[in-house]
Amino acid sequence: MANFFNTPPDQNNVQQQQSLNDVLALLLLATGMMISLLLSTIAVQADLISSRVLLWLFLAMLLASVVLVYRLAGFLKKYKALQARFDLINTGKDLVTGLPDTNEFILRVDIECRRCAREFVPLSIMYVGFDVDYLTEHDSIRVAENLINTVCRPGDMVAKVDETTFGLILPSTNEMARQLADRCLKGVMQLQIKHPVSIGLNTFQPTSELDCSVAMRSVQHLLTKAKAEGGNKVWADAQPPLDPPVTYSY
């Protein structure tokens, strides 16, 4: 699946320039046909060309019409594909994997942080990242499928955070979070993707200080530490469990 929005900037520029060139070519072809038709009509009325020349002009116009229709059909196909991508973005989905995108992930982290404090339950957040600037579409899809199959509880979320990072939200997850991270690492490594994969995991307890920015910054820090160690490992942290007080601030 071609991806306009999730490709590197240089590739995006190439696609944008290609689309612009297609539009200009269509406009030039249509303009040339209109001018040729106008000149032919004037020439016929002035009796300046023979029937033989008129026949050749007709054949040339017919060929140009076929080319114009063909190019227009191709342009409309690209336009529909582009519109479909915009529609997918509006639903909060990543264009390559179909997972929730970055904005949807941030929104969900914010909701779960609030729920964590309100219901006094733990919250685990995990980042699965590759030490590379860009992950191919094929590899991204394979990793997405693998993580979805590993994390299958209702209420959990697997999302695409950026080009090379997947985010997992695990509500009400405490003791088993590290084991789950190990399973995720093992499963992704079995895909034999040539880039090292690292996992940052943090389990948060319900406190008034917990919010979306704090949670994401903490998990990103752990992922960075795992990458700095050479990858293919899990860096995890967990706040100690809390006994629910009679009242707590929210």
Side-chain angles (χ1 to χ4, degrees):
M1 181 191 310
N3 179 7
F4 181 82
F5 298 96
N6 283 358
T7 50
D10 290 342
Q11 191 171 345
N12 276 344
N13 293 336
V14 170
Q15 292 182 1
Q16 289 175 340
Q17 188 62 45
Q18 228 172 7
S19 299
L20 180 60
N21 291 340
D22 288 342
V23 173
L24 291 176
L26 287 173
L27 290 175
L28 288 174
L29 185 57
T31 302
M33 288 180 61
M34 292 179 64
I35 293 175
S36 299
L37 181 60
L38 178 61
L39 292 177
S40 299
T41 302
I42 294 174
V44 169
Q45 290 179 349
D47 201 18
L48 299 176
I49 57 176
S50 63
S51 59
R52 186 183 183 87
V53 175
L54 184 61
L55 176 61
W56 281 109
L57 285 174
F58 174 77
L59 292 176
M61 293 289 292
L62 182 62
L63 179 61
S65 299
V66 172
V67 173
L68 180 61
V69 170
Y70 176 78
R71 295 294 298 271
L72 183 60
F75 177 77
L76 290 176
K77 183 178 180 180
K78 290 182 180 180
Y79 175 79
K80 289 181 179 179
L82 187 61
Q83 186 61 48
R85 293 170 189 164
F86 275 117
D87 293 341
L88 191 58
I89 284 180
N90 291 334
T91 64
K93 300 296 183 183
D94 174 66
L95 297 175
V96 174
T97 62
L99 295 176
D101 63 10
T102 306
N103 293 331
E104 190 70 14
F105 178 76
I106 294 174
L107 178 62
R108 179 68 179 276
V109 170
D110 182 65
I111 292 173
E112 293 301 334
C113 285
R114 295 172 183 272
R115 193 197 312 274
C116 172
R118 183 175 64 249
E119 299 181 0
F120 212 84
V121 293
L123 170 65
S124 293
I125 299 177
M126 185 191 310
Y127 277 175
V128 179
F130 291 83
D131 196 5
V132 65
D133 293 332
Y134 179 70
L135 201 62
T136 66
E137 294 180 1
H138 177 64
D139 287 342
S140 293
I141 293 171
R142 292 168 64 211
V143 173
E145 292 175 346
N146 187 278
L147 292 175
I148 289 173
N149 291 332
T150 304
V151 181
C152 55
R153 290 187 321 172
D156 293 344
M157 173 187 275
V158 180
K160 186 79 177 294
V161 177
D162 59 32
E163 291 295 335
T164 61
T165 306
F166 296 80
L168 288 79
I169 303 175
L170 311 167
S172 303
T173 303
N174 197 350
E175 300 86 359
M176 302 300 294
R178 176 57 194 254
Q179 290 89 326
L180 178 60
D182 290 335
R183 288 205 308 271
C184 288
L185 179 65
K186 182 179 178 181
V188 173
M189 290 180 63
Q190 287 176 347
L191 298 177
Q192 297 184 342
I193 296 173
K194 61 182 179 180
H195 311 293
V197 58
S198 304
I199 293 182
L201 167 71
N202 207 335
T203 298
F204 304 95
Q205 299 300 332
T207 64
S208 58
E209 290 79 17
L210 178 61
D211 61 23
C212 179
S213 60
V214 169
M216 294 180 65
R217 187 165 56 247
S218 174
V219 180
Q220 180 62 54
H221 176 67
L222 293 171
L223 176 63
T224 302
K225 291 178 68 173
K227 288 182 177 181
E229 292 291 328
N232 293 334
K233 61 181 58 180
V234 176
W235 265 85
D237 190 14
Q239 298 175 354
L242 302 174
D243 293 327
V246 177
T247 60
Y248 59 93
S249 61
Y250 171 61

